[in-house]
């Protein structure tokens, strides 16, 4: 084959190249743009220009669309978009696309305030709950954004996608994490004991494995995340630790050692207290059927920071995270490096973690 023939063959199989940037705020909400040329919203980004790398294109699009100059150097997803996935008009001659998604990080209030929109193309921007993306974006764009967000949380490297679907789904993909709205718990966290007059309506525990990661439960039908624990019942005789041990066994077949009290959450609108503990996770049996729901939770280990990315606890989450790490030090448990989430589908020897 001559160079001309080879070049013609490769040109006939050419694809478009696109780029986008996933940006979140401190609550884990995703930045989307409302544009003047289509009815659905988009992540910041666009087409890669000639002789431009996808990362360079992403940085250029941020300058053009948000007025922000920053280095874009961490890819979190690469999506192969097929010719028939967009229902594109024939006149467009859409040949398919390779679309790169980069991690724009978590932006502070100051960074968000510095955004300057152009005179045309971008009508507005907003930060939205991940579960709302399918309502605001095209189906393929929403799948890609959610897959990229899960890949960012999972921290196993960039996800390879086909039409927004991961080729090798992680536990977060399989559980459908973030496809339902996270419960908002923007409640003040207090390190002291709860006032005696406040009835305790919830007891949750940060159960830490020997490597410093926490046990997190995912609902099998919604993908919603929570910590082990639950609501006090009469047989618990108002002992919060009895509640926590019972709930941890019922929900996750989890047992733990001597706990440390972290503090409580108060609700300005309701006279209740929600208690938080930290404890070393000592045993994990086969996953049980939760008698309260009839479901079997998906059990994962995540760093405390990764766990918080699956919740919407607002600014008070930082205070609770600090208390967790202080307790971890007192318990002699190391700080876990950020790493891929580990699913625990069977009884687990925690000493191997």
């Amino acid at each position: 084959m001559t160079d001309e023939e080879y070049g013609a063959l490769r040109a006939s199989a050419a694809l478009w190249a696109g780029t986008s940037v996933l940006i979140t705020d401190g609550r884990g909400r995703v930045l989307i743009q409302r544009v003047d040329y289509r009815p659905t919203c988009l992540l910041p980004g666009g087409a890669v220009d000639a002789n431009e790398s996808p990362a360079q294109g992403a940085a250029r699009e941020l300058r053009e669309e948000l007025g922000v100059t920053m280095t874009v150097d961490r890819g979190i997803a690469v999506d192969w978009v097929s010719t028939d996935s967009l229902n594109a008009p024939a006149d467009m001659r859409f040949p398919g696309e390779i679309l790169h998604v980069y991690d724009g990080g978590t932006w502070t209030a100051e960074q968000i305030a510095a955004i300057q929109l152009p005179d045309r193309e971008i009508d507005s921007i907003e930060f939205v709950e991940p579960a709302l993306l399918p309502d605001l974006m095209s189906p393929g764009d929403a799948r890609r954004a959610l897959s990229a967000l899960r890949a960012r949380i999972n921290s196993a490297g960039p996800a390879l996608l086909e039409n927004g679907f991961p080729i090798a789904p992680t536990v977060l993909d399989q559980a459908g994490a973030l496809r339902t709205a996270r419960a908002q718990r923007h409640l003040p966290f207090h390190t002291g004991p709860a006032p005696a007059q406040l009835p305790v309506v919830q007891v949750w525990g940060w159960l830490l494995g020997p490597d410093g990661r926490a046990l997190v439960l995912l609902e099998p039908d919604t993908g919603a995340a929570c910590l082990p624990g639950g609501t006090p019942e009469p047989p618990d005789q108002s002992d919060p630790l009895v509640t926590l041990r019972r709930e941890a066994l019922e929900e996750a077949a989890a047992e733990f050692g001597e706990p440390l009290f972290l503090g409580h959450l108060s609700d300005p609108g309701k006279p209740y207290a929600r208690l938080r503990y930290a404890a070393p996770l000592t045993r994990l049996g086969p996953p049980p059927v939760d008698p309260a729901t009839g479901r079997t939770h998906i059990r994962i280990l995540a760093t405390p920071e990764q766990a918080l990315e699956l919740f919407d606890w607002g600014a008070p989450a930082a205070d609770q995270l600090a208390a967790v790490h202080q307790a971890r030090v007192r318990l002699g448990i190391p700080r876990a490096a950020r790493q891929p989430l580990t699913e625990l589908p069977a009884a687990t020897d925690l000493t191997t973690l």
Side-chain angles (χ1 to χ4, degrees):
M1 187 180 294
T2 66
D3 289 347
E4 181 179 2
E5 291 170 334
Y6 181 72
L9 176 64
R10 293 300 299 267
S12 69
L15 298 172
W16 290 356
T19 187
S20 61
V21 183
L22 182 80
I23 298 165
T24 55
D25 66 3
R27 288 177 50 189
R29 298 178 301 178
V30 178
L31 186 152
I32 58 169
Q33 300 179 152
R34 298 184 184 274
V35 297
D36 60 13
Y37 55 87
R38 62 186 296 176
T40 54
C41 298
L42 298 168
L43 297 181
V48 176
D49 288 344
N51 299 316
E52 181 181 58
S53 74
Q56 291 170 337
R60 172 182 52 76
E61 291 286 352
L62 289 180
R63 291 194 302 271
E64 295 175 355
E65 296 180 343
L66 301 180
V68 172
T69 298
M70 62 178 289
T71 300
V72 179
D73 57 7
R74 181 169 179 260
I76 48 177
V78 179
D79 192 11
W80 176 79
V81 183
S82 65
T83 56
D84 58 355
S85 65
L86 296 183
N87 196 27
D91 291 345
M92 186 181 288
R93 295 184 294 175
F94 177 61
E97 184 173 23
I98 297 293
L99 204 152
H100 299 252
V101 186
Y102 290 91
D103 185 4
T106 299
W107 285 19
T108 64
E110 291 74 20
Q111 287 175 296
I112 296 170
I115 292 174
Q116 296 182 342
L117 301 183
D119 295 333
R120 54 180 297 274
E121 186 178 346
I122 311 299
D123 290 334
S124 64
I125 63 103
E126 62 181 298
F127 286 87
V128 301
E129 175 69 20
L132 294 178
L133 295 178
D135 297 328
L136 299 169
M137 308 177 81
S138 71
D141 288 345
R143 288 195 299 270
R144 182 184 313 113
L146 282 172
S147 293
L149 181 56
R150 292 173 186 139
R152 185 172 86 168
I153 296 171
N154 189 57
S155 300
L160 299 181
L161 314 175
E162 292 184 355
N163 295 324
F165 294 104
I167 296 175
T170 68
V171 62
L172 294 182
D173 297 311
Q174 294 168 346
L178 306 175
R179 63 186 169 88
T180 56
R182 302 167 297 165
Q184 292 188 14
R185 289 285 185 266
H186 299 187
L187 303 178
F189 177 74
H190 313 274
T191 54
Q197 71 272 18
L198 292 183
V200 174
V201 296
Q202 185 188 76
V203 185
W204 278 3
W206 289 90
L207 306 186
L208 303 173
D211 65 351
R213 289 186 292 169
L215 178 64
V216 178
L217 308 180
L218 302 177
E219 293 282 356
D221 51 349
T222 67
C226 66
L227 295 178
T231 304
E233 297 181 0
D236 301 338
Q237 298 184 347
S238 300
D239 187 332
L241 288 179
V242 172
T243 297
L244 183 56
R245 291 189 186 279
R246 174 182 55 77
E247 290 283 354
L249 277 173
E250 291 177 354
E251 294 177 335
E255 300 178 24
F256 54 88
E258 189 64 28
L260 294 176
F261 179 69
L262 298 182
H264 72 281
L265 304 176
S266 63
D267 190 334
K270 299 176 183 178
Y272 301 138
R274 303 168 188 268
L275 307 187
R276 298 291 182 264
Y277 288 85
L281 183 63
T282 57
R283 182 180 179 277
L284 205 62
V289 175
D290 186 347
T293 64
R295 300 186 296 252
T296 299
H297 289 94
I298 300 168
R299 306 176 301 179
I300 61 174
L301 287 179
T303 68
E305 290 76 12
Q306 286 170 307
L308 288 179
E309 292 175 38
L310 296 170
F311 308 144
D312 183 9
W313 289 357
D319 296 330
Q320 190 171 162
L321 180 64
V324 171
H325 282 303
Q326 291 171 3
R328 174 187 55 76
V329 173
R330 291 174 58 190
L331 292 168
I333 297 174
R335 185 176 189 132
R338 195 173 180 100
Q339 58 192 283
L341 304 179
T342 300
E343 183 179 4
L344 305 169
T348 301
D349 180 1
L350 298 173
T351 63
T352 63
L353 297 176

